[in-house]
Amino acid sequence: MAALEKATGDVVFKFEPFVLHVLCQELQDAQMLHSVAVDSGFRNSGITVGKGGKITMAVRSTHCLEVPLSHKGRLMVSEEYIEFLVHVANQKMEENI
């Protein structure tokens, strides 16, 4: 809260979802990993094939959070709401784990 009180610009509370990139030798390896990831709840997962044939499988969570807290140095939310956001973000971190 002390840092927020000193802020002069915009402040955003942000929680980034889990991302794991795996380089795969064969497309079928990536497809198998993709199936496991999606079945495990990582619905934003995907496979990319680069120009050189590099196959990358990305396991991605959907657990993200981005909330503005202040605008031009003016706090837009209460301390209670920030505590709530921290609690929600910690829950999302537990889900990522």
Side-chain angles (χ1 to χ4, degrees):
M1 289 306 297
L4 279 173
E5 290 169 7
K6 295 177 186 177
T8 58
D10 295 352
V11 176
V12 176
F13 184 94
K14 191 171 187 179
F15 176 83
E16 294 284 340
F18 169 80
V19 179
L20 172 68
H21 291 104
V22 180
L23 188 60
C24 301
Q25 284 187 328
E26 303 290 333
L27 183 57
Q28 62 211 47
D29 297 331
Q31 289 170 328
M32 183 175 64
L33 181 57
H34 182 262
S35 292
V36 170
V38 171
D39 290 346
S40 298
F42 295 99
R43 297 183 304 271
N44 284 354
S45 299
I47 300 169
T48 57
V49 180
K51 291 180 183 178
K54 183 170 81 170
I55 303 165
T56 304
M57 178 17 208
V59 180
R60 293 188 196 102
S61 170
T62 58
H63 303 114
C64 61
L65 182 65
E66 187 170 351
V67 181
L69 300 180
S70 71
H71 179 64
K72 296 182 180 178
R74 182 171 169 245
L75 188 61
M76 305 301 287
V77 297
S78 68
E79 184 174 351
E80 180 182 6
Y81 186 68
I82 293 170
E83 290 172 3
F84 170 73
L85 290 175
V86 170
H87 176 74
V88 169
N90 285 336
Q91 285 180 319
K92 290 177 180 293
M93 180 63 81
E94 286 297 318
E95 291 174 21
N96 275 340
I97 293 170

